[in-house]
Amino acid sequence: MLTGKYRDFYRRIKTTIPPERLVIDPLRTIAYGTDASFYRLVPKIVINVENEIEVRRVLREAGRLELPVTFRAAGTSLSGQAITDSILVRLGRGWDDYRVLDRAGKIRLQPGMIGSHANRILAEFDRKIGPDPASIDSAKIGGILANNASGMCCGVEQNSYRTLDAMRIVLADGTVVDTGDDKSRAAFGRSHGQILEGLADLRRQVLADPELAERIRYKFKIKNTTGYSLNALVDFDDPFEIMEHLMVGSEGTLGFVSEVVYRTVVEHRHKASSLMFFPDIRTACEAVMLLKAQPVAAAELMDRASLASVTGQPGMPDFLGELGPEVTSILVETRAETAQALAAQIDGIKAALAGVSTVRLIEFTAIPAEFAQLWKIRKGLFPAVGAVRRTGTTVIIEDVAFPIEHLADATIDLRELLLRHRYTEAIIFGHALAGNLHFVFTQDFSTQAEVVRYRDFMAEVVRLVLDKYHGSLKAEHGTGRNMAPFVEKEWGEAAFALMRAIKRLFDPGNMLNPGVILNSDLEAHIKNLKPLPPTHELVDKCIECGFCEPICPSRDLTFTPRQRIAGRREISRRMTGAAGEAPLRRLVRSYRYQGMDTCAADGLCSTLCPVGIDTGKMIKALREEAHGPLADAIANWTADHFAGVARTAAATLNTVDRLHRLTGTPLMETVAEVAHKGTAGLVPQWNRALPTGAPKVAVAGQTAVQSLAVVYFPSCASRAMGGPDREESDRRGLPQQTLSVLGKANCTVILPDNLEALCCGQAFESKGFRLQADRKAGELNEALLRASQDGAIPILCDTSPCLMRMRATLDRRLRLYEPVEFVLDILKDRLRFTRKEATIALHATCSTRKMGLDAKLKELALLCATEVVVPEDIYCCGFAGDRGLNFPELNASALHGLADQVHGCQAGYSTSKTCEIGLSLHGRIPYRSIFTLVDEVTTSLNP
């Protein structure tokens, strides 16, 4: 319940921003307030803004009431810079617009664009943005710029500060200035001349103090994100350029950047990487000094503990476990415009290192799949430590930089310091060419003694970095709350006074993200520490990094996987007796919809999670726990009478279709919506894309020459819902179309006995009925073993999600194929393909992606049609079996923007009937099985 100024603010702001984007309930403020750092504050209000006008209104209303405001992009920052106990402003939809400028020499981006998506846009021009943080697949441009994030290949020459061309800024009072627009600059000069004059005066002060100016220049010769970008005061004389460069790395404490123009950098077509091994850290660091003079784009140092943390992971060499205790690795990448130039560079690098002692021969690979795997492992070092930590502890990554000539000594000293403070599991790795080291360790904050241990350790780290080696306490992760108490220690009194003056100039009321960068509390770094109580064994290793979020179908509707876990952790924490907080019942009740009902449980999150956590499995387990005796009885009855249930479902669809023909679509949609909402979701939401029931599956005996025996298992979804919708001219069902393809390929088709009663269990498992799902899988297993002669005959299932579950649960002897694999691997040489002149759309289901078949789906589609469109950023469709009928808003949110991307396509194709329903509805084109397309464009080679 809001009180005082926050209640007044809420009343004012809801006249501009819809209430559904103003979050005040306890569960969602906790979940949305969580970021990747080890700090936690719970916001009073979370606002999802969708445009600049809303940002300006929030700032003006908050300013009138003197309420702090913090901005959040992806929440992947690690130093506590994106949390608040006041107003949290998150980027909603509408912040991912872009324009490619000057023949791709520049790109204008909004802050909601994910970094790797910007690179995808630029890829056809062989360009990219300069910053390349390890979180680039999740981090958004707003955060990348606000933290001056760099990365493995970026160094100090290609970060946001160095590649910035212009930006559009919203200041604390709501004023907007576009530094790339002369009209905007002139208007700002008239209205806010005091800021420009203040910046010019600060520059004069710096230049009048040669010692201070030189210190600033020295501090930025290596990576440094501690404090503000004071180099702007010595690098530029135009106050607008000073202003925009001060915004870089300011962590939302000086203003909100609503657009940025980057100068792009070259993305070389030819790359090669080598994982080099040296006998110890000192030898490895000596090699780095030699590599710095070579055409090396990146050199990532990994100590022995780092290598141990990834030993046994896919793609890593088998010999890692046999290496000596001091062996240190460097992962090197070199790039060139041509293959010949690349080969010459590799030879040059090897020659430069010829006199350095190595543990193994230096070998490079230019095979993309191989070097991509090496870099994937490197990016996963931080979470790898988190995955093996003791439950209840947090994983901390610190980020320092040293002058490269001191890298060896500093690394050795850092290792000794970690061991002295009993952080025996710690790993050290980093961007060696920039002298930038990360060290990762686990920490228990549940006792005061442990908090003191961390405090004392950090005090020694500060002395080591600053007093002994004159380095940077934060090289690329930003100051946040983590290093705010040490900014003055690192910079000195004069430079710190400049930072305070800059803050006063832009934010005199200290309204923007207070406590970040500048904080007078010398113990701020050990306060507001995030609790990580155990909540479920399937997700307890989650470090809340947020890497999973971009692929989640409910990310713009309710919770992401990270937020589902954070919400459950809070519920678990309060179960242990946290008094004086929101009632536990309220959190549990809210979690039912936010966390459980609207989770597609597709498991795609595990493909982006560095430690492979499948949050969907936790949700299925929670659904199972929530079932009562009645629900179990219904599930058992359904499993026992499955043939009748499937026939009833098909008949119901046919009846509803006849009703649809009689009443028309508008009336049918109105009645269906009223029924769905009036029964609080008990009645599923009918939609115009629902198909009819499929005819009964039957096959005739076949005696074709060169016949191939095939066991065909049409999924229960295909049998019950595999008929055409009312707009289709082909009135056959999916099983009949599949049989047609098999017939053209001269296949002898075998159907399993008692087919109508068979189910893989997917429909049960997704709802949390695990026992019933496994029982149905057992029945199917026996039937398929009989039909396939114990696996001698290949088995085709026409639905990808069912096939994936079959592979996970059935007898390993069974040779199981989903549609794409079966056509390409078995049928392609038995059919004649005639490509149709058409533009078609494709949707790779979650299971198709998880089985690594999305590229093969496109390969098959290109055999069938001249042009194939694969919509960007559409992952799981959110239909999730029947969830698209019971919670249609999930399907609508997951497929937001699909219709625009497939406009102009004649039809779309996929490998799951239920997914195709939602895709047809929201894509506004018919989506069909890929077998339908194959049937249309093929004839028999032996007619």
Side-chain angles (χ1 to χ4, degrees):
M1 180 68 67
L2 297 175
T3 59
K5 291 182 178 181
Y6 289 100
R7 182 179 55 199
D8 293 343
F9 172 81
Y10 182 85
R11 288 173 176 170
R12 292 182 183 183
I13 205 68
K14 73 177 182 179
T15 63
T16 300
I17 299 176
E20 61 267 23
R21 290 197 276 114
L22 302 176
V23 178
I24 58 174
D25 67 273
L27 179 68
R28 287 193 292 164
T29 53
I30 289 165
Y32 293 162
T34 298
D35 75 349
S37 74
F38 56 94
Y39 298 98
R40 185 179 89 155
L41 291 170
V42 180
K44 303 286 192 310
I45 304 175
V46 178
I47 306 175
N48 296 318
V49 294
E50 295 189 348
N51 54 61
E52 189 182 84
I53 293 173
E54 292 181 351
V55 172
R56 297 175 70 187
R57 182 65 188 274
V58 168
L59 288 173
R60 285 172 176 165
E61 294 297 347
R64 289 189 183 104
L65 295 168
E66 299 180 329
L67 295 175
V69 175
T70 294
F71 298 107
R72 164 84 63 79
T76 57
S77 55
L78 298 163
S79 300
Q81 53 264 65
I83 60 172
T84 181
D85 57 3
S86 182
I87 300 168
L88 180 66
V89 177
R90 300 197 313 161
L91 296 178
R93 282 182 172 147
W95 291 101
D96 57 358
D97 198 12
Y98 68 91
R99 281 189 66 190
V100 179
L101 308 168
D102 295 351
R103 299 181 181 179
K106 297 177 183 178
I107 186 168
R108 180 183 293 273
L109 299 166
Q110 288 190 318
M113 174 74 71
I114 291 175
S116 61
H117 294 188
N119 286 341
R120 188 174 63 201
I121 292 163
L122 292 166
E124 65 175 302
F125 307 103
D126 293 329
R127 309 289 293 185
K128 64 178 181 177
I129 61 171
D132 65 332
S135 58
I136 196 167
D137 290 331
S138 309
K140 296 179 178 179
I141 292 298
I144 289 172
L145 183 135
N147 291 288
N148 198 20
S150 47
M152 289 174 280
C153 302
C154 175
V156 294
E157 297 303 321
Q158 294 184 349
N159 61 21
S160 293
Y161 182 93
R162 295 294 181 189
T163 57
L164 174 67
D165 186 75
M167 66 170 60
R168 188 174 173 90
I169 309 163
V170 184
L171 296 181
D173 63 0
T175 299
V176 176
V177 56
D178 188 337
T179 65
D181 183 320
D182 289 342
K183 186 73 172 175
S184 179
R185 286 163 64 111
F188 187 78
R190 290 190 296 271
S191 65
H192 288 69
Q194 77 280 5
I195 291 181
L196 300 177
E197 292 167 6
L199 292 174
D201 183 58
L202 290 176
R203 173 175 163 81
R204 284 191 291 271
Q205 290 181 40
V206 171
L207 295 182
D209 186 343
E211 184 178 346
L212 177 58
E214 181 53 35
R215 175 148 185 80
I216 291 172
R217 293 188 183 98
Y218 170 81
K219 289 293 293 178
F220 287 104
K221 286 180 180 177
I222 61 174
K223 282 186 176 183
N224 187 348
T225 59
T226 307
Y228 289 123
S229 299
L230 293 183
N231 44 343
L233 296 171
V234 296
D235 291 343
F236 304 99
D237 54 16
D238 178 359
F240 284 101
E241 289 190 277
I242 295 173
M243 176 169 63
E244 65 188 15
H245 285 84
L246 281 172
M247 291 292 162
V248 178
S250 65
E251 301 177 14
T253 63
L254 302 181
F256 174 84
V257 178
S258 59
E259 277 187 351
V260 60
V261 179
Y262 278 119
R263 293 187 296 275
T264 62
V265 302
V266 174
E267 172 65 306
H268 295 92
R269 292 192 177 187
H270 299 275
K271 304 176 185 178
S273 293
S274 173
L275 190 60
M276 304 176 181
F277 298 91
F278 302 91
D280 51 48
I281 284 177
R282 187 171 298 281
T283 306
C285 290
E286 290 170 357
V288 170
M289 296 296 292
L290 296 171
L291 289 170
K292 198 163 179 64
Q294 296 299 314
V296 170
E300 294 295 297
L301 181 143
M302 293 177 275
D303 72 352
R304 184 66 185 89
S306 298
L307 295 173
S309 74
V310 295
T311 296
Q313 291 193 16
M316 291 305 289
D318 295 334
F319 59 77
L320 286 187
E322 303 168 6
L323 296 173
E326 299 299 323
V327 169
T328 302
S329 176
I330 301 177
L331 179 56
V332 173
E333 179 167 290
T334 184
R335 304 169 175 179
E337 286 296 312
T338 66
Q340 294 81 1
L342 184 68
Q345 288 177 191
I346 291 172
D347 289 342
I349 292 169
K350 289 182 176 180
L353 298 179
V356 180
S357 176
T358 59
V359 173
R360 300 181 66 89
L361 288 176
I362 294 176
E363 297 179 348
F364 279 83
T365 176
I367 300 172
E370 292 182 1
F371 65 66
Q373 185 62 44
L374 293 177
W375 287 98
K376 182 179 179 181
I377 294 297
R378 159 58 189 87
K379 291 180 179 181
L381 284 177
F382 167 43
V385 175
V388 297
R389 77 188 192 283
R390 182 167 51 85
T391 300
T393 63
T394 191
V395 59
I396 295 176
I397 180 169
E398 293 295 353
D399 163 49
V400 297
F402 302 100
I404 193 169
E405 61 270 20
H406 298 312
L407 185 60
D409 289 335
T411 307
I412 293 168
D413 285 351
L414 184 56
R415 165 59 61 190
E416 291 176 354
L417 185 58
L418 285 161
L419 293 175
R420 189 160 67 250
H421 285 269
R422 307 189 312 283
Y423 293 112
T424 54
E425 80 295 347
I427 67 174
I428 298 175
F429 60 92
H431 318 313
L433 289 177
N436 178 193
L437 294 181
H438 303 315
F439 50 104
V440 182
F441 55 96
T442 60
Q443 176 68 54
D444 183 357
F445 285 128
S446 64
T447 67
Q448 185 59 29
E450 281 294 289
V451 174
V452 168
R453 177 166 73 116
Y454 172 72
R455 181 199 65 192
D456 293 346
F457 168 67
M458 287 306 300
E460 288 204 50
V461 168
V462 170
R463 286 193 289 271
L464 176 72
V465 174
L466 299 183
D467 296 341
K468 186 170 183 179
Y469 292 112
H470 307 291
S472 307
L473 288 173
K474 282 296 180 184
E476 58 180 5
H477 292 170
T479 311
R481 285 173 162 75
N482 187 216
M483 283 300 164
F486 308 108
V487 174
E488 185 171 11
K489 165 74 173 171
E490 174 164 340
W491 276 97
E493 185 178 344
F496 190 64
L498 281 177
M499 294 184 190
R500 288 196 174 280
I502 289 167
K503 176 68 169 173
R504 286 193 301 270
L505 198 58
F506 285 96
D507 183 22
N510 196 28
M511 182 180 81
L512 299 179
N513 212 2
V516 169
I517 296 184
L518 305 179
N519 195 323
S520 58
D521 185 350
L522 298 181
E523 292 197 334
H525 62 305
I526 55 171
K527 294 181 178 178
N528 302 305
L529 301 170
K530 181 194 291 183
L532 289 175
T535 187
H536 198 288
E537 61 182 3
L538 291 171
V539 300
D540 281 339
K541 297 305 181 185
C542 173
I543 56 174
E544 300 181 356
C545 65
F547 284 13
C548 56
E549 295 190 332
I551 208 167
C552 178
S554 59
R555 63 189 181 275
D556 294 319
L557 177 66
T558 51
F559 283 172
T560 64
R562 168 169 62 176
Q563 292 158 0
R564 285 187 168 88
I565 294 169
R568 281 300 305 177
R569 280 174 168 162
E570 182 64 12
I571 290 171
S572 297
R573 187 181 74 85
R574 296 194 186 192
M575 283 179 176
T576 63
E581 300 182 87
L584 179 61
R585 287 195 306 275
R586 184 178 178 187
L587 295 187
V588 172
R589 188 167 57 248
S590 180
Y591 193 84
R592 178 78 195 199
Y593 178 76
Q594 304 290 334
M596 293 171 62
D597 291 344
T598 53
C599 178
D602 55 45
L604 272 186
C605 49
S606 66
T607 65
L608 289 187
C609 175
V611 294
I613 292 172
D614 184 346
T615 307
K617 287 185 178 178
M618 178 190 75
I619 295 301
K620 291 174 186 175
L622 294 177
R623 289 171 183 166
E624 182 177 11
E625 293 173 10
H627 294 324
L630 178 60
D632 274 328
I634 293 172
N636 282 323
W637 186 90
T638 302
D640 292 338
H641 301 84
F642 197 80
V645 171
R647 284 195 298 270
T648 301
T652 300
L653 284 170
N654 289 332
T655 300
V656 171
D657 181 65
R658 288 192 289 271
L659 183 62
H660 181 198
R661 291 176 184 274
L662 287 172
T663 62
T665 301
L667 178 59
M668 194 76 172
E669 285 181 332
T670 300
V671 172
E673 185 175 0
V674 169
H676 178 69
K677 292 183 177 178
T679 60
L682 266 174
V683 174
Q685 173 78 64
W686 175 90
N687 68 65
R688 64 177 70 193
L690 277 173
T692 57
K696 187 173 181 178
V697 186
V699 296
Q702 300 184 29
T703 58
V705 179
Q706 296 181 335
S707 177
L708 170 70
V710 176
V711 175
Y712 173 38
F713 171 60
S715 73
C716 58
S718 300
R719 301 195 307 269
M721 309 174 71
D725 66 33
R726 63 178 301 191
E727 303 298 331
E728 292 284 2
S729 57
D730 185 346
R731 304 311 296 170
R732 295 175 300 163
L734 171 58
Q736 287 69 40
Q737 293 168 334
T738 304
L739 289 170
S740 173
V741 173
L742 295 174
K744 290 183 217 177
N746 293 325
C747 294
T748 298
V749 179
I750 302 165
L751 297 179
D753 294 336
N754 198 25
L755 174 61
E756 295 300 315
L758 296 179
C759 169
C760 70
Q762 177 75 12
F764 293 91
E765 183 196 33
S766 66
K767 297 177 180 64
F769 294 106
R770 179 175 49 85
L771 296 179
Q772 294 85 349
D774 289 345
R775 177 150 61 91
K776 297 306 292 183
E779 295 170 4
L780 178 62
N781 190 62
E782 292 179 10
L784 291 180
L785 281 171
R786 287 195 301 270
S788 69
Q789 300 175 16
D790 290 334
I793 301 172
I795 299 166
L796 165 67
C797 176
D798 55 21
T799 303
S800 292
C802 299
L803 187 281
M804 193 174 80
R805 186 171 201 277
M806 290 162 64
R807 282 185 174 169
T809 58
L810 304 191
D811 195 300
R812 296 298 182 208
R813 290 174 292 172
L814 297 174
R815 295 157 57 200
L816 301 166
Y817 289 86
E818 62 85 66
V820 175
E821 286 178 302
F822 194 79
V823 173
L824 289 178
D825 295 352
I826 295 180
L827 299 186
K828 188 172 79 169
D829 295 334
R830 304 175 70 90
L831 295 168
R832 179 179 289 109
F833 285 78
T834 303
R835 281 210 301 176
K836 59 188 285 189
E837 293 285 335
T839 301
I840 65 171
L842 282 188
H843 176 76
T845 67
C846 310
S847 50
T848 301
R849 292 176 184 273
K850 288 162 71 176
M851 290 187 289
L853 296 173
D854 39 337
K856 283 187 170 292
L857 175 61
K858 187 173 182 179
E859 178 187 341
L860 176 56
L862 286 170
L863 287 176
C864 303
T866 53
E867 188 172 349
V868 173
V869 173
V870 181
E872 294 181 346
D873 305 328
I874 301 291
Y875 304 104
C876 172
C877 70
F879 206 88
D882 62 355
R883 212 142 288 262
L885 302 175
N886 296 319
F887 302 97
E889 63 273 24
L890 173 61
N891 183 224
S893 182
L895 296 181
H896 176 79
L898 174 65
D900 291 336
Q901 294 197 58
V902 301
H903 180 72
C905 295
Q906 284 90 331
Y909 297 91
S910 189
T911 54
S912 170
K913 188 62 185 179
T914 53
C915 296
E916 290 153 21
I917 296 170
L919 291 161
S920 298
L921 179 66
H922 297 290
R924 300 174 194 161
I925 60 172
Y927 270 80
R928 307 164 181 139
S929 168
I930 193 69
F931 262 123
T932 307
L933 179 62
V934 172
D935 186 32
E936 182 183 352
V937 303
T938 58
T939 54
S940 176
L941 284 177
N942 300 295

